[in-house]
Amino acid sequence: MKLLYIPLLFLCLQGLSGNLPAQTAEKPLPRYGFSIEPLYLYNGGLRINAEKRLTEKEWFELNITPYYLPLAEYDYDYGAWYTINSGFEYFSKLQGIGVGGSYKYYFSPLFFINPGVSYTFYKVKYSDTDFYPYQEDGLTYYSFERRQLSQIFNKFNLSFYIGGRTPFKRSFFVEYFVGAGQSFSSYKSGKKTFDDTMFGFGYTGLYLTTGVKLGFNIR
C-alpha cells in the first residue's frame, strides 16, 4: 500500500512544477504609475502624472503642470515667445501652474476611457501699443506708445479621452490618447485675451486634443 503513495507524490510534484512557468509568466498588475507628457514642452510646460490602481480595471490619476518661459530681454519690445496656447502670437514671459485629476477605466486589457477635470493659472507678459493717459499742469493728455503689460488667465477644463497603452507587464510604458473637452476661461477686461484658437490662454468653448505619455510602472 505504501508503494501507491510514490506515484501519487510524483504526479503532485509534476503538477506543481507544470504550474510554475505559468505563474512566473503572469506578472501582477502594477499598483502605481508615473509619467510625463513631453508635448507640453511646446507650450513652455511639462505635465507630470501619478496614477494609482483602484481595481483591476480602474485607475485614478493626479497631475501637475508647471509653466515657465523667462523674460525675453533680447526682444523686449515685441516679445520673443509664441506657443500653441498663445495662438502663435508673440509674448514676453510666461508663468503658470496647472492641477488636475481623472478617472481611467480599461474596457479591454490595453484600451481605456478617461474623463477628467483640470484648472490652470497663467500669467502672461506681452507688449502692446495703445493710448496711455498722463497728467501735466492739471490736464490729462494721452501718449501713443508701446508698453509691457501683464494678463492673468484662469482656465477650467472638462475632458473626455479614449486611449491605449503598451502592456502592463513592461516596466516602462507608452500611452497615447485623443479626446475632446470644454474650456471655461476668465481674464482681465481691457487687455489682450489670446482667445483666437481653441488652445488659447483665454479661450472658452469646445476643443480637441491628443497626447502621449512616457512613464514607468511600480508593482
Side-chain angles (χ1 to χ4, degrees):
M1 291 295 294
K2 291 183 178 180
L3 294 176
L4 293 175
Y5 290 108
I6 295 176
L8 289 173
L9 180 61
F10 177 77
L11 289 173
C12 289
L13 292 174
Q14 189 178 29
L16 289 173
S17 63
N19 288 333
L20 285 176
Q23 291 175 354
T24 55
E26 294 180 5
K27 293 184 179 180
L29 286 173
R31 294 176 298 164
Y32 302 97
F34 294 91
S35 63
I36 61 171
E37 295 183 47
L39 295 181
Y40 276 79
L41 293 171
Y42 286 103
N43 286 315
L46 181 64
R47 174 163 286 185
I48 304 167
N49 307 294
E51 299 181 57
K52 183 182 187 322
R53 180 167 59 86
L54 304 176
T55 67
E56 185 177 351
K57 295 185 176 182
E58 297 174 291
W59 289 71
F60 178 71
E61 178 182 281
L62 291 174
N63 58 66
I64 183 169
T65 313
Y67 292 89
Y68 183 71
L69 290 172
L71 186 64
E73 298 286 358
Y74 60 90
D75 198 352
Y76 182 80
D77 289 335
Y78 292 92
W81 304 110
Y82 61 88
T83 67
I84 297 173
N85 284 347
S86 72
F88 299 102
E89 295 186 64
Y90 282 97
F91 61 92
S92 305
K93 184 178 180 180
L94 171 65
Q95 294 171 286
I97 188 73
V99 293
S102 66
Y103 167 79
K104 187 180 291 182
Y105 178 79
Y106 283 85
F107 57 86
S108 78
L110 300 179
F111 295 94
F112 59 84
I113 57 173
N114 185 202
V117 61
S118 66
Y119 163 75
T120 307
F121 167 85
Y122 300 105
K123 183 178 181 181
V124 181
K125 194 166 189 176
Y126 65 96
S127 176
D128 197 15
T129 302
D130 204 346
F131 288 96
Y132 297 98
Y134 67 94
Q135 298 288 326
E136 187 174 305
D137 297 329
L139 299 176
T140 300
Y141 297 90
Y142 290 85
S143 62
F144 187 73
E145 58 185 279
R146 180 173 292 277
R147 291 187 182 182
Q148 288 288 321
L149 303 174
S150 292
Q151 175 68 291
I152 301 294
F153 298 94
N154 293 281
K155 180 184 285 287
F156 294 89
N157 283 343
L158 300 175
S159 60
F160 185 88
Y161 304 148
I162 183 169
R165 56 165 294 150
T166 52
F168 280 103
K169 63 183 180 181
R170 300 176 184 174
S171 297
F172 295 91
F173 69 86
V174 177
E175 188 175 296
Y176 46 90
F177 60 87
V178 295
Q182 173 72 41
S183 287
F184 305 90
S185 299
S186 64
Y187 42 80
K188 295 180 180 179
S189 61
K191 294 186 176 182
K192 201 166 186 177
T193 58
F194 293 97
D195 61 352
D196 290 336
T197 71
M198 72 174 83
F199 305 109
F201 295 121
Y203 174 79
T204 293
L206 294 173
Y207 68 92
L208 303 175
T209 188
T210 186
V212 175
K213 297 179 182 179
L214 306 176
F216 59 93
N217 298 310
I218 296 180
R219 301 188 184 278

